[in-house]
Amino acid sequence: MIGTFLGIGGIVLTLIFGVYTIWTTKKSQKKVSIGLEKKECYSLFKKEINRLNIDVNYAGKSIDNYLILFKGNLVNNGYKDIDKSSVYKPLRIKSKNEFKWLEASLSEVPDGATVELNKLDDTTLELKWDLLKKGEQIEFETLIEIPQETEIEDISDEFYNSLDFDFRITDVNNVDKLSETFPKEKKKIRKKRKLLIMGLLAFIAGLYILFSPELPESLSLFKDKKEIHYLAQYGNQNKSINVTPNSKGQVLIKNGDNEEELSVEDFNNQISLLKIDTVVSQPNSFLFNRIMGIFYVLMSIMTFFLYFKIKLSPTKPPM
């Protein structure tokens, strides 16, 4: 009986966990959301090239510092359109002082949309639009200058990860960096940890439920049903019978394969219990418990498969 309740409880918990996962996923998906995706970002000039004393001119001026070419997509990844009536302060993209915007231009805008990209100063770009529908994106490309003395191991990634945003748009709290490396890695680590814990717990629970009937009674959740067989004078014969009450308030008498229902009054009049004959263990039906044990083990195998699939998946190299 306990095993049956445990199995049913496992199914209920699985359903609850599944519904909760779907609910939290839906809840985490914002109705109004903006993301900046890194399409391309790489250094145009390395130290080795600068050491060759090659003259590079931009807008009539000699450029001695490093240059970064950045192509980005501003995406409406929510479920509602964002029009100019909800924009109280246009989106401004800010870089650190060591990163200076030299040039910025739009390369792709949604059909029928009016979009403006302006450079306010060396470290600030401003992006305006009249309507950005859900799923639409604005693609732009920029040229950034960085002083040679700046010590950054990976300049392009450092530039993208350091971008900041300033805006006032209804129901938008922040702009998500959709291609940022470190948050993706942290999310992957958290997902692996959850899958590993779930897999281990499901595997242990599955093995315990599956083999619990074979464990000693002190360790097993599944207890054999004990039946007391009485030696009784029944009619003109002495017989070994088992006596149990039924749902009708009567007495059920079992004698081998024969069963008979008697009222309490008839039982007292017709049968005399002489002594306890034997105590017999009647194993409960463990089929449902076996099925649930196998179910948990299979679920753990699938969880381990997803864990190793995520663990072995290659990390997308930065653009």
Side-chain angles (χ1 to χ4, degrees):
M1 181 62 70
I2 296 178
T4 302
F5 283 132
L6 185 61
I8 295 174
I11 294 177
V12 172
L13 288 175
T14 302
L15 292 175
I16 292 175
F17 180 77
V19 172
Y20 176 76
T21 302
I22 295 173
W23 179 75
T24 52
T25 301
K26 290 290 185 181
K27 188 177 180 180
S28 64
Q29 295 175 341
K30 303 174 184 176
K31 290 184 178 180
V32 183
S33 179
I34 300 176
L36 179 64
E37 180 181 8
K38 178 176 61 176
K39 189 173 182 181
E40 292 182 26
C41 187
Y42 51 84
S43 303
L44 294 178
F45 304 103
K46 301 289 186 181
K47 290 183 179 180
E48 290 75 13
I49 297 178
N50 282 294
R51 288 194 187 112
L52 298 177
N53 296 322
I54 298 176
D55 291 333
V56 179
N57 294 324
Y58 172 77
K61 296 181 180 179
S62 177
I63 299 294
D64 297 324
N65 297 328
Y66 302 147
L67 296 179
I68 298 173
L69 178 64
F70 175 75
K71 293 184 179 181
N73 285 334
L74 188 75
V75 185
N76 180 354
N77 54 358
Y79 292 92
K80 291 180 65 177
D81 301 341
I82 304 175
D83 58 31
K84 58 183 179 182
S85 65
S86 60
V87 180
Y88 298 93
K89 182 178 181 180
L91 175 65
R92 293 181 178 180
I93 306 174
K94 295 187 174 184
S95 65
K96 290 184 177 180
N97 291 332
E98 61 264 29
F99 299 106
K100 295 183 178 180
W101 306 99
L102 293 180
E103 184 178 336
S105 61
L106 296 169
S107 53
E108 184 179 337
V109 298
D111 293 337
T114 301
V115 182
E116 296 181 15
L117 178 62
N118 301 310
K119 174 186 167 185
L120 301 184
D121 54 48
D122 288 343
T123 60
T124 308
L125 297 180
E126 185 177 72
L127 193 58
K128 298 180 180 179
W129 62 84
D130 59 345
L131 177 63
L132 189 61
K133 296 181 179 180
K134 60 179 182 179
E136 288 186 339
Q137 60 186 25
I138 300 171
E139 182 179 307
F140 62 95
E141 57 183 13
T142 60
L143 192 65
I144 300 97
E145 179 183 10
I146 176 173
Q148 290 189 32
E149 63 270 12
T150 303
E151 293 295 333
I152 300 176
E153 185 176 354
D154 193 329
I155 298 176
S156 58
D157 281 347
E158 179 69 18
F159 162 73
Y160 175 73
N161 293 342
S162 68
L163 290 178
D164 198 7
F165 308 96
D166 184 22
F167 60 90
R168 284 183 63 86
I169 302 175
T170 304
D171 295 330
V172 178
N173 297 322
N174 62 284
V175 176
D176 300 319
K177 294 177 184 176
L178 303 179
S179 307
E180 195 169 14
T181 303
F182 299 120
K184 273 192 172 183
E185 287 301 309
K186 290 180 180 178
K187 185 177 180 180
K188 182 178 178 181
I189 292 172
R190 288 196 298 267
K191 186 181 292 186
K192 287 193 301 182
R193 187 182 296 117
K194 289 180 181 179
L195 287 173
L196 183 59
I197 294 174
M198 286 177 57
L200 289 174
L201 291 177
F203 185 72
I204 294 172
L207 289 180
Y208 182 68
I209 296 173
L210 187 61
F211 295 106
S212 188
E214 281 74 34
L215 294 175
E217 189 170 314
S218 58
L219 299 177
S220 177
L221 288 176
F222 313 116
K223 313 297 183 182
D224 289 344
K225 182 179 179 182
K226 306 295 184 181
E227 289 186 354
I228 300 177
H229 288 211
Y230 299 92
L231 183 62
Q233 185 178 357
Y234 192 7
N236 297 324
Q237 299 178 353
N238 291 344
K239 298 180 181 179
S240 180
I241 63 173
N242 170 246
V243 182
T244 55
N246 62 15
S247 59
K248 302 176 183 178
Q250 297 176 323
V251 178
L252 180 63
I253 302 171
K254 294 181 181 180
N255 176 23
D257 295 331
N258 299 321
E259 293 185 359
E260 183 179 2
E261 291 181 347
L262 295 176
S263 66
V264 175
E265 184 179 357
D266 290 339
F267 177 85
N268 291 330
N269 292 332
Q270 299 177 22
I271 300 175
S272 297
L273 299 179
L274 302 177
K275 64 176 182 178
I276 295 177
D277 188 14
T278 56
V279 178
V280 180
S281 294
Q282 296 290 343
N284 288 315
S285 175
F286 297 122
L287 178 59
F288 184 73
N289 307 118
R290 301 291 194 191
I291 293 174
M292 287 307 304
I294 293 173
F295 170 77
Y296 275 103
V297 171
L298 291 177
M299 187 172 65
S300 69
I301 293 174
M302 293 178 62
T303 306
F304 287 136
F305 174 77
L306 291 174
Y307 167 79
F308 285 108
K309 184 177 181 180
I310 295 175
K311 182 179 180 179
L312 299 176
S313 61
T315 302
K316 185 177 179 181
M319 300 295 292

